[in-house]
C-alpha cells in the first residue's frame, strides 16, 4: 500500500535503510541540502522489521502514510489518490499507448521530454487496465509496443548486438541497446531528438523488455493473440531477435539502468523479468493447445529462415532460464536488488521497491514463497 501511494504521489520510490554505514541522519541531511528543503520525511517502524525512512516529496501524501492501516484508512487512500490513478490513453493512427506523464505545457514538455512514451510505463498501464477489466485497450497497448520493437531501427539494434555483443560495453553502449522510449507524435516511433540528433539516454533497461516479451507470450499462451497478431509485419522476427538479444547480451549478468533508470548495475528485478518471459516461452513450446502448436510451428519455421533456430530450442531456453535463476537466487541470498558490490559503491543496494516485481508481474516458477518473503 505504501509503495502504491508513493508511486502515484511522489518523485522518489526507494526505501533508505537505517542500517547503512553512513547512518540515516547523515543521509537525510544530505538529501535536505540537495533538495533545498523540498522533501518531507516520515519514519515508519514496522513490527519485526528494521527501521527505515521514506523520502516523500508530496505534502499531500505525507499524512496518508501510516505504520498500519484499517479498512477505513485504506478506503481513504483509495479516494485521495483517485485522480492520480487515472490513466489517460493516447490514441494515434499508429497505436495506443500511455505517456509517462501528461504534460500539456509545450515548453515544459520540450525541456523534460516526459511527454514521451516509455515501454515500461505503458506496459504497467496495460496491466492496470487489464486488472480493471479493460482487456481491449490493454491488448492494443501491448500490440503497439510489439510494433515498436519490430521497426527497422530496433531490429537493426538487436541484430548488431547479436552479432557483436561487446558494443553494449562500448563508449556509446547505452544507445546501442534496444531503445525503450519514443516520441509519441512520431508515426515511425522515432527517438526523442535534441538539436536534430537522438537524445543520449541509457536504454539498457531489460526489465521493460522482459515484461514486454512476457506479456506478449502470455497473450499467445492464453489464445488471445493468434497468427493474425504474430504474423503481422515484422512481429515474429522481433520476438525471435529479442530472445537472441537476451542470449548474446548475457542478460543474467548484464548491468542495466533498471526500473528507476539509475547507474548501471546487475539488477535482480531486471534479470527476473527476462527470466519470467523465457519461462513463459518454454511453457508455450510445451503446451498442447492448438494455438500454441501453431505458434511453435510458425516460430520455428521463421527462426530457421533467420538462421536463429538454435536460440529458441528447448535446451538453450532452459540454459538461459538456469542462468537467470543463478543470479536471482544469489542476489536475493546476499540481500536484494544489487548487493554484490562493495557497500560503499553507489551501485550497492539491498531493499528496493523494484523487487516487488518478482511477485508481480513476474511469474517466477522456481522462486519459493519463503524466498519471496525474504524481500
Amino acid at each position: 500500500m505504501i509503495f502504491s501511494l508513493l508511486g502515484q504521489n511522489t518523485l522518489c520510490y526507494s526505501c533508505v535503510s537505517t542500517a547503512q554505514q553512513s547512518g540515516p541522519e547523515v543521509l537525510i541531511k544530505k538529501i535536505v541540502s540537495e533538495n533545498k528543503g523540498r522533501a518531507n520525511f516520515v519514519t515508519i517502524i514496522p513490527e519485526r522489521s528494521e527501521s527505515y525512512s521514506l523520502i516523500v516529496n508530496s505534502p499531500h501524501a505525507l499524512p496518508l502514510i501510516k505504520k498500519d492501516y484499517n479498512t477505513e484508512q485504506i478506503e481513504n487512500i483509495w479516494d485521495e489518490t483517485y485522480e492520480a490513478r487515472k490513466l489517460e490513453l493516447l490514441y494515434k493512427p499508429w497505436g495506443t499507448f500511455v505517456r509517462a506523464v501528461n504534460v500539456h505545457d509545450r515548453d515544459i514538455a520540450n525541456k523534460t521530454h516526459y511527454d514521451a512514451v516509455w515501454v515500461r510505463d505503458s506496459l504497467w498501464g496495460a496491466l492496470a487496465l487489464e486488472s480493471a477489466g479493460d482487456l481491449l485497450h490493454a491488448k492494443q497497448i501491448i500490440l503497439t509496443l510489439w510494433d515498436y520493437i519490430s521497426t527497422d531501427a530496433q531490429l537493426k539494434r538487436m541484430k548488431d548486438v547479436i552479432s557483436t555483443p561487446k558494443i553494449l560495453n562500448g563508449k556509446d553502449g547505452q544507445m546501442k541497446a534496444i531503445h525503450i522510449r519514443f516520441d509519441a507524435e512520431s508515426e515511425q516511433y522515432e527517438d526523442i531528438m535534441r538539436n536534430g540528433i537522438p537524445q543520449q539516454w541509457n536504454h539498457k533497461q531489460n526489465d521493460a523488455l522482459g515484461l514486454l516479451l512476457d506479456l506478449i507470450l502470455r497473450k499467445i499462451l492464453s489464445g488471445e493473440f493468434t497468427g493474425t497478431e504474430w504474423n503481422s509485419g515484422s512481429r515474429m522476427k522481433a520476438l525471435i531477435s529479442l530472445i537472441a538479444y537476451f542470449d548474446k547480451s548475457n542478460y543474467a549478468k548484464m548491468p542495466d539502468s533498471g526500473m528507476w533508470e539509475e547507474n548501471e548495475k546487475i539488477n535482480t528485478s531486471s534479470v527476473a523479468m527476462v527470466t519470467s518471459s523465457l519461462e513463459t516461452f518454454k511453457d508455450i513450446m510445451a503446451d498442447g493447445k492448438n494455438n500454441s502448436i501453431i505458434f511453435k510451428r510458425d516460430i520455428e519455421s521463421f527462426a530457421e529462415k533467420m538462421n536463429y533456430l538454435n536460440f529458441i530450442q528447448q535446451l538453450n531456453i532452459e540454459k538461459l532460464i538456469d542462468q537467470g535463476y543463478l543470479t536471482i537466487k544469489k542476489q536475493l541470498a546476499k540481500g536484494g536488488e544489487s548487493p554484490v558490490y562493495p557497500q560503499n559503491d553507489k551501485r550497492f543496494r539491498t531493499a528496493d521497491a523494484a523487487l516487488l516485481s518478482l511477485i508481480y508481474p513476474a511469474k517466477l516458477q522456481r522462486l519459493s514463497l519463503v524466498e519471496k518473503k525474504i524481500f
Side-chain angles (χ1 to χ4, degrees):
M1 178 60 69
I2 288 174
F3 287 126
S4 173
L5 181 63
L6 291 175
Q8 293 293 346
N9 293 280
T10 79
L11 298 176
C12 179
Y13 299 78
S14 297
C15 281
V16 183
S17 171
T18 60
Q20 293 182 2
Q21 290 181 340
S22 59
E25 295 83 5
V26 175
L27 182 61
I28 288 175
K29 286 179 182 177
K30 182 175 183 291
I31 295 171
V32 170
S33 174
E34 290 178 350
N35 287 276
K36 296 181 173 63
R38 289 178 294 179
N40 298 288
F41 302 94
V42 56
T43 298
I44 298 178
I45 308 176
E47 294 178 8
R48 303 182 303 278
S49 297
E50 183 182 317
S51 301
Y52 60 89
S53 297
L54 298 173
I55 305 167
V56 184
N57 290 289
S58 169
H60 178 72
L62 191 63
L64 300 176
I65 299 175
K66 310 288 183 185
K67 174 183 173 182
D68 297 300
Y69 293 90
N70 58 35
T71 303
E72 184 179 348
Q73 288 169 328
I74 292 173
E75 290 176 350
N76 183 47
I77 290 174
W78 194 253
D79 293 337
E80 290 290 333
T81 60
Y82 176 74
E83 290 297 326
R85 289 184 288 102
K86 280 185 178 179
L87 287 179
E88 184 177 325
L89 296 180
L90 191 60
Y91 303 97
K92 295 288 184 179
W94 52 90
T96 303
F97 32 80
V98 181
R99 277 195 172 110
V101 177
N102 292 317
V103 181
H104 301 291
D105 185 309
R106 289 313 307 168
D107 288 337
I108 294 176
N110 291 334
K111 289 177 182 177
T112 64
H113 300 299
Y114 283 162
D115 60 331
V117 175
W118 267 257
V119 169
R120 177 189 305 102
D121 295 39
S122 278
L123 289 174
W124 279 88
L127 286 168
L129 290 168
E130 190 170 75
S131 69
D134 190 348
L135 304 183
L136 175 61
H137 288 119
K139 177 178 177 179
Q140 289 175 346
I141 290 171
I142 295 168
L143 288 174
T144 296
L145 297 176
W146 192 354
D147 286 336
Y148 170 50
I149 65 161
S150 303
T151 60
D152 290 343
Q154 295 280 55
L155 289 170
K156 183 179 186 305
R157 291 183 185 106
M158 286 188 268
K159 184 177 181 180
D160 289 347
V161 169
I162 292 164
S163 61
T164 315
K166 65 181 181 181
I167 64 173
L168 288 174
N169 302 319
K171 182 179 179 181
D172 201 28
Q174 64 179 14
M175 296 295 286
K176 302 295 185 183
I178 302 172
H179 286 196
I180 48 74
R181 66 171 194 165
F182 58 90
D183 184 346
E185 302 303 321
S186 170
E187 186 173 354
Q188 287 75 40
Y189 308 104
E190 292 178 344
D191 275 344
I192 298 298
M193 307 296 284
R194 178 172 286 180
N195 299 324
I197 60 175
Q199 181 188 17
Q200 284 290 316
W201 199 262
N202 196 335
H203 290 279
K204 297 180 187 178
Q205 298 183 30
N206 284 345
D207 69 289
L209 298 176
L211 181 57
L212 176 57
L213 179 59
D214 208 354
L215 295 186
I216 291 170
L217 293 173
R218 288 182 200 179
K219 295 291 185 187
I220 293 171
L221 185 61
S222 69
E224 293 174 76
F225 287 171
T226 65
T228 302
E229 282 79 28
W230 68 65
N231 287 320
S232 175
S234 297
R235 288 175 180 168
M236 182 65 88
K237 186 176 183 179
L239 274 191
I240 298 166
S241 298
L242 186 52
I243 293 172
Y245 175 93
F246 288 144
D247 185 334
K248 299 298 287 185
S249 66
N250 196 7
Y251 85 95
K253 295 183 179 179
M254 175 183 166
D256 76 336
S257 63
M259 192 175 289
W260 311 132
E261 301 191 313
E262 298 176 313
N263 297 308
E264 286 184 25
K265 57 189 187 296
I266 302 174
N267 291 295
T268 303
S269 57
S270 293
V271 176
M273 282 312 314
V274 177
T275 304
S276 177
S277 71
L278 294 171
E279 286 187 311
T280 305
F281 182 79
K282 180 184 174 182
D283 288 345
I284 293 175
M285 300 300 275
D287 187 42
K289 296 189 182 75
N290 189 54
N291 197 59
S292 297
I293 292 171
I294 296 172
F295 173 77
K296 180 180 180 182
R297 179 200 66 196
D298 288 355
I299 196 171
E300 287 180 340
S301 175
F302 205 105
E304 189 171 17
K305 292 176 184 176
M306 293 174 64
N307 201 27
Y308 279 13
L309 185 58
N310 58 304
F311 289 114
I312 65 166
Q313 289 178 333
Q314 181 179 345
L315 287 177
N316 192 59
I317 296 298
E318 289 177 348
K319 178 200 74 174
L320 294 176
I321 293 171
D322 288 343
Q323 290 172 348
Y325 273 108
L326 190 63
T327 297
I328 294 165
K329 290 182 178 261
K330 173 186 175 183
Q331 298 205 163
L332 287 180
K334 283 182 173 291
E337 178 68 342
S338 54
V340 294
Y341 304 96
Q343 288 193 22
N344 61 355
D345 190 314
K346 60 186 176 182
R347 296 171 296 178
F348 173 82
R349 184 169 300 166
T350 53
D352 193 307
L355 289 170
L356 293 172
S357 65
L358 274 67
I359 300 172
Y360 177 86
K363 294 185 176 181
L364 295 165
Q365 298 171 20
R366 298 189 208 167
L367 203 62
S368 68
L369 182 59
V370 172
E371 288 169 314
K372 289 178 180 180
K373 283 182 177 180
I374 289 175
F375 57 88

